[in-house]
């Protein structure tokens, strides 16, 4: 089996990639997006269907794109991978990762998955991004893109016809720890003018514990999560790559 690197996919390849993602979603109970908005694609094709007994065109795929940030002066690649359920534990993911390491030696690798564990294989955990949602007690009107208070400000945008996206909440340093964040949210969400918006969604970094406590107290619930891991090459005790 060989690992192929591509920068673009043909229509049939896109459908086959999506078939594998959807198969893994059904097997694992996950909800990965089958959209293929990535910069590069590694794959292991199912060349011997009769021998493998697998009908899908691909046995493993690894995809990634460059983030708009750096770590230690190096660009970061964010990657995710899918291995056919019948082929797991046979080294296909490792084959793809080795090609990734060799092709992008000057990049930092981060892996993304929809679970939260201290380690994913040997890759150390960095943080989790939570996607939260709150159903309002009564529908409200759009509170404005930016709402300013003497002690902070909050930012909203319409997500769809009935849902608001809360994309920023800031409390000035001298007012923190005094419940001002909760006061801002209650003013917007509990005392806002009547309207059509029934839900509010937001994203929060697990490392921001104060924000997580606030949103949980305000009745937001976790609807989804994505965890990130350092895609470091496994090393021997002497520090050399395996």
């Amino acid at each position: 089996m060989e690992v192929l690197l591509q920068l673009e996919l043909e229509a049939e390849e896109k459908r086959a990639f999506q078939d594998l993602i959807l198969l893994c979603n059904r097997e694992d109970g996950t909800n990965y997006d089958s959209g293929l908005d990535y910069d590069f694609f590694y794959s292991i094709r199912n060349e011997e269907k009769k021998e493998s007994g697998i009908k899908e065109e691909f046995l493993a795929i690894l995809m990634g794109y460059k983030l708009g940030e750096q770590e230690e002066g190096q660009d970061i690649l964010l990657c995710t991978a899918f291995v056919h359920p019948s082929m797991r534990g046979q080294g296909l993911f490792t084959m793809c990762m080795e090609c990734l390491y060799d092709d992008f030696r000057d990049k930092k690798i981060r892996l993304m998955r929809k679970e939260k564990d201290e380690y994913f294989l040997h890759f150390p955990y960095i943080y989790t991004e939570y996607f939260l949602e709150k159903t309002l007690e009564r529908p409200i009107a759009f509170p404005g893109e930016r709402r300013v208070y003497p002690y902070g400000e909050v930012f909203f945008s319409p997500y769809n016809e009935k849902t608001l996206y809360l994309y920023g909440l800031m409390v000035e340093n001298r007012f923190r720890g005094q419940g001002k964040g909760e006061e801002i949210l209650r003013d917007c969400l509990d005392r806002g003018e009547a309207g059509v918006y029934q839900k509010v969604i937001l994203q929060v970094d697990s490392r921001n514990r104060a924000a997580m406590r606030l949103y949980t107290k305000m009745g937001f619930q976790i609807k989804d999560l994505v965890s990130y891991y350092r895609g470091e090459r496994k090393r021997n005790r002497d520090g050399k790559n395996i």
Side-chain angles (χ1 to χ4, degrees), residues 225-241:
L225 63 85
V226 175
S227 294
Y228 300 92
Y229 299 81
R230 296 190 187 280
E232 300 170 347
R233 207 165 200 165
K234 195 170 184 180
R235 300 177 184 273
N236 291 317
R237 292 181 179 178
D238 60 4
K240 295 181 178 180
N241 294 332

Side-chain angles (χ1 to χ4, degrees), residues 77-209:
L77 301 181
L78 182 60
C79 304
T80 188
F82 301 88
V83 178
H84 194 287
S86 299
M87 297 297 294
R88 293 175 182 175
Q90 300 189 40
L92 275 65
F93 171 70
T94 300
M95 290 172 60
C96 292
M97 286 297 297
E98 288 300 320
C99 290
L100 177 67
Y101 292 139
D102 290 341
D103 292 337
F104 296 97
R105 295 176 182 271
D106 61 338
K107 302 291 191 294
K108 293 285 187 179
I109 309 298
R110 287 185 187 172
L111 297 171
M112 175 182 69
R113 65 194 305 257
K114 291 203 168 189
E115 292 183 47
K116 181 183 178 182
D117 296 300
E118 185 176 352
Y119 281 87
F120 163 48
L121 301 178
H122 69 275
F123 304 110
Y125 169 78
I126 307 174
Y127 71 96
T128 297
E129 187 175 25
Y130 290 103
F131 299 83
L132 308 183
E133 179 182 284
K134 174 183 173 69
T135 299
L136 302 176
E137 294 184 1
R138 62 179 182 83
I140 63 171
F142 181 51
E145 184 174 345
R146 181 188 183 201
R147 197 155 182 168
V148 179
Y149 295 81
Y151 34 79
E153 53 190 328
V154 63
F155 302 86
F156 293 95
S157 66
Y159 181 75
N160 59 35
E161 293 180 353
K162 296 184 178 181
T163 303
L164 289 172
Y165 177 49
L166 193 166
Y167 66 91
L169 172 63
M170 187 277 291
V171 175
E172 293 185 20
N173 289 336
R174 59 197 175 105
F175 291 110
R176 292 185 178 180
Q178 302 176 37
K180 297 301 184 183
E182 179 179 352
E183 189 173 329
I184 290 173
L185 291 181
R186 291 202 182 281
D187 181 64
C188 294
L189 306 182
D190 295 348
R191 296 187 289 273
E193 295 181 8
V196 298
Y197 293 100
Q198 302 173 2
K199 292 183 179 181
V200 180
I201 60 173
L202 59 88
Q203 297 168 232
V204 62
D205 187 322
S206 62
R207 294 169 293 190
N208 191 344
R209 297 183 179 180

